[in-house]
Amino acid sequence: MTNEYWFEEKDVFLEISSNTSTKKFLPGVLRLSTDSRDQTVLSWVQLIGRTQQEETNENNKTNQKLESDWCVVDNPNGLQKSNILNIPESIPEKKSKNNGNSHENIANKDINSHNKELNHIPDYLPRSDPYIADRSFSLQVSRFEMIKIFENRSEGYSINFCTENKEEFHLFFLLGEPNTLLEAILKDNPQLEKSHKDSNDPNSPKIYSKISTEKPLKTKSTLQNIWSSVKKYSKKQVEVLQQQFKATNEEEEFQKQIISQDESRLENLNLEIRNIKTIGTRGNMAVNEEIWKGFLDENGRVKNPTQLQKIIFYNGIDPKMRQLIWKFLLGYFPMESTEEEREEIQKTKKRLYQQVKTQWENIIPEQEKNFRKYRQRKTQIEKDVYRTDRVIGIFSEDNSPSMMMMRDILLTYSFYNFDLGFVQGMADLLTPIISVMQNEEDSFWCFVGLMKRVETYFLKNQPGLREDMLILRSLLKLLDPEIYNIFVSDRRSSEFIFCFRWLLVCFKREFAFNEIPLLWEVVWTDFLSDKFHLFIAVAILQVNHDYFIAKYQDFDSILDFLNNLSGRLDLVSLLNNAELLVQNYTQKIPLVFEKAKNKLITLENVSSPNIDSDKNRIDNLPQKSHDKSNNEKVLKRSTSQPERNSNKIVGISKLYHV
Amino acid sequence: MNEEEEKYDLKIILLGSSKVGKTTLVNRLTQGTFENPEQTTGATFSKKKYQGELQEYTFSIWDTAGEERFDSLSSFYCRNSGCELILYDITDRNSFTNLDRFFDKLQYTNEDSFVILIGTKLDLIEETSKLRKVTLEEGKKKANDKNSYFFEISSKTGHNIQELWETVGDLFEKNSQKNEIKHRQDNNHFQINSFTNNQKKKNCC
């Protein structure tokens, strides 16, 4: 009892970070107390900066919230075994009964309603903003050890300290009068030696770091000195910083939203994935006539379509065989059709094509005059036909047969699928088909098959494309979280619009014309995944991982960079990388589920739009073992999960970064 | 820090129906060439220096797809734009009647941005004016109604290209002078706010 004390400081700007995450806090109340067991409790409550959303959330459950604002250190097991940061949870009643005096003071303050807390808010802060329970936390440690102090003159100090369990924490203070503080700390911590960030430049930020690890510290006095040296802000400083932090918080909120959306999308992603571990030899063993014939039974049916898809996926198709096999890949010929049936299909389709084509061919000039929609389509198509792949031999001459074929097919398609009509990008999808088929009717039906795959890309506002961009983003989160974080931390890049061209025309503009057939037939097999093109996109981003880490500036820079990759990408190695990424994905997905489960347990008290659905789903998982009825104490629960306690830093990142 | 890390003083965005000559104009401005480019998918951007009275500026020029179905994208690209070049083809009546769809995009651009309406393909009517479907007066009137500047150009012959570029630069310089004065006034009255604004800029770039 005698060594108990508590200490409190208001208006502290605080930043806590671990290796994996950083969280900034608005001005709050920081409390430090020590109990009879020599456990130090550091608790902090944010006072301002609540968003509209949080306000509504809180209004909905005011009573609950008021009871769960503080974490209480009354669980000896929890104390000794676990020094993790906890979401404040239970009411400190027990404590006030047990301990009395100074702790009771804290306890009373804590349970009391907003009114009391409002008194803590300095006059110059908006009174309408009661504190946010969600943004409070407490940290229990028995001994702190200063590791490093980093002085950044314009902003404040960062202080690294380490608990006896070797967890490292990093507190960042924005301070009014740094010198006083610094002196206090240094006086108490003789083991900290001064150096400069840049050892040659005495004006560079100073670093005080611990050289010897032997001497344990007089923890209490150190911390007390820190807090007591914290100077309050002047009114103006607070205003400025408050606005800055508000902006940062909004961004963070936005980012959080994205990330949680991406996570839940990942969990629900139902990609058809086959997990086969070989790497393709693309090009070397392409499906030639011999291989192809081996696949047909006596009636000409494809005996083992999956095997065929597999071979195509890994090796591609011999250029001579594309004309035939593409028809199967694009659904023109069903795999199970006999040779005879195919002849029949081809005849019928030829007739049908001509039937649709004559519809626009028979439009007489006067009729055309009164048919604005047709006129517009025709002009639009002609405009694009005259500027698509003109560097390619068969399209280079004005009004060449292939060029006219392109026009006729597009015009016929716009009648065949009148609602969709013609949209820019379609011509890009058609030219490789024409160059392979070299026949109008066959090209048309293959084009129809291709358009079926990507039709939603071309609707107004491109719903299919947008969905794929979001899946791409989720995949990136899983497969290359580092660059994912870079993109989502920038609002403009977070929409992944820089991938628009890739996806719309399936990388047609990124590779040479003669590389497109291989790329597309690999994608069309749907062999490893029906979203293989998205894995290719991830592969392209990942190949440039280092660039994004080192040079990322903003959306403009990334668009410019990606546009300039065109023609400089190595197709075969990208396909191989994409393939590895599919494998990577299958291995990581179970982990995602595992993580979601942990998240639920840790974040039970935090309101998040996705938690409820997660919870229901996870509740139904057979692995769930902990006792639902005893769920009042997060702390208890976390101790019943030993595997998680072994990695507390991860626990922090979950709390503050999800 | 790095020579690749360039800041752009002005973002120029080109808008207009398909095949009115947006990419061609960009090529003319940045490379001095004239050719028949492929249709633009998504957007591309290039940069061009402008020699101002006192210093040199770098402008970024954004080329967008004219396709109507990708309209929502051009709204996205319009953000932060300080100058909009809205193009129509003087031999294509539709590209002129469609203009309002692009003027609508101005709501996404910077508040102080300026607009230049441009009639393209002037070379096509040099031999015979039969091909002209939009008169000079109509163009001027439209520009006037929309409170924008106006040019008729030819990217093929280079007619009015230099004048257009000078105008962009002039308007930019005038705008930034105005901003500077305003900024100074703001500074005197609200020192803290301007500090915050600067900070914000730093954060988002």
Side-chain angles (χ1 to χ4, degrees), chain A residues 329-345:
Chain A
L329 291 179
L330 291 170
Y332 180 8
F333 291 155
M335 292 279 188
E336 64 282 358
S337 60
T338 64
E339 190 113 37
E340 233 171 88
E341 284 166 343
R342 290 201 285 272
E343 270 171 41
E344 201 49 44
I345 290 172

Side-chain angles (χ1 to χ4, degrees), chain A residues 398-409:
Chain A
D398 275 352
N399 303 325
S400 67
S402 298
M403 200 167 155
M404 289 295 99
M405 205 189 278
M406 188 184 352
R407 187 197 78 144
D408 290 1
I409 292 171

Side-chain angles (χ1 to χ4, degrees), chain B residues 9-10 57 59 114 167-176:
Chain B
D9 301 294
L10 173 68
Y57 302 99
F59 298 166
F114 52 92
T167 307
V168 171
D170 274 357
L171 290 170
F172 163 74
E173 284 201 299
K174 269 183 207 150
N175 247 1
S176 42

Side-chain angles (χ1 to χ4, degrees), chain A residues 10 56 64 76 133 171 270 274 510 551 611:
Chain A
K10 287 180 279 183
T56 339
Q64 270 177 304
L171 296 177
N270 205 2
R274 293 196 184 108
E510 318 311 316
K551 301 271 175 65
I611 291 292

Side-chain angles (χ1 to χ4, degrees), chain A residues 261-301:
Chain A
Q261 280 167 9
D262 285 345
E263 261 175 15
S264 67
R265 191 179 306 106
L266 266 180
E267 285 155 26
N268 300 320
L269 257 194
N270 205 2
L271 298 189
E272 281 180 36
I273 299 269
R274 293 196 184 108
N275 194 5
I276 293 168
K277 291 178 184 173
T278 42
I279 279 289
T281 54
R282 293 184 175 84
N284 297 345
M285 285 265 295
V287 178
N288 55 25
E289 197 173 355
E290 198 186 333
I291 299 177
W292 170 250
K293 279 197 174 143
F295 268 102
L296 300 181
D297 68 10
E298 64 274 22
N299 295 319
R301 291 189 184 92

Side-chain angles (χ1 to χ4, degrees), chain A residues 17-204:
Chain A
S17 59
S18 65
N19 295 337
T20 45
S21 69
T22 299
K23 183 76 191 169
K24 286 178 183 162
F25 298 89
L26 281 162
V29 176
L30 188 59
R31 289 195 184 105
L32 174 73
S33 57
T34 306
D35 63 12
S36 48
R37 291 183 301 266
D38 204 23
Q39 302 288 334
T40 307
V41 183
L42 184 155
S43 24
W44 184 89
V45 173
Q46 182 167 304
L47 289 174
I48 55 168
R50 177 156 69 163
T51 64
Q52 198 71 43
Q53 171 88 40
E54 286 165 327
E55 206 146 358
T56 339
N57 283 347
E58 192 168 312
N59 285 342
N60 291 341
K61 37 183 176 177
T62 316
N63 294 333
Q64 270 177 304
K65 270 283 150 69
L66 283 175
E67 289 174 352
S68 60
D69 283 337
W70 285 90
C71 177
V72 177
V73 194
D74 59 354
N75 179 342
N77 291 331
L79 266 177
Q80 271 140 31
K81 287 185 188 160
S82 154
N83 290 331
I84 58 168
L85 280 174
N86 283 297
I87 275 289
E89 210 246 359
S90 65
I91 326 165
E93 276 172 349
K94 245 189 196 169
K95 176 148 244 172
S96 35
K97 274 178 211 155
N98 291 348
N99 293 331
N101 55 32
S102 60
H103 266 106
E104 198 174 292
N105 287 342
I106 306 177
N108 284 338
K109 262 182 199 155
D110 295 341
I111 357 176
N112 281 342
S113 62
H114 284 174
N115 294 340
K116 262 248 163 101
E117 281 299 334
L118 277 170
N119 293 333
H120 287 263
I121 302 177
D123 290 332
Y124 47 81
L125 294 176
R127 294 245 163 190
S128 57
D129 259 325
Y131 69 89
I132 305 159
D134 279 352
R135 296 249 173 93
S136 57
F137 72 88
S138 97
L139 171 74
Q140 322 145 12
V141 273
S142 49
R143 181 164 283 146
F144 294 94
E145 191 170 2
M146 285 294 162
I147 303 173
K148 193 158 88 184
I149 301 169
F150 187 89
E151 179 196 356
N152 184 335
R153 242 175 292 169
S154 57
E155 288 166 350
Y157 288 89
S158 66
I159 295 170
N160 289 25
F161 63 94
C162 178
T163 67
E164 61 183 354
N165 284 11
K166 298 291 171 218
E167 291 172 89
E168 223 178 292
F169 289 99
H170 173 202
L171 296 177
F172 182 81
F173 303 92
L174 294 158
L175 295 169
E177 292 249 322
N179 289 334
T180 336
L181 171 84
L182 193 63
E183 274 164 28
I185 296 173
L186 290 177
K187 205 174 143 196
D188 243 47
N189 290 276
Q191 84 282 11
L192 296 176
E193 283 179 27
K194 181 171 145 189
S195 64
H196 287 275
K197 193 183 179 190
D198 176 357
S199 54
N200 297 323
D201 178 10
N203 289 324
S204 65

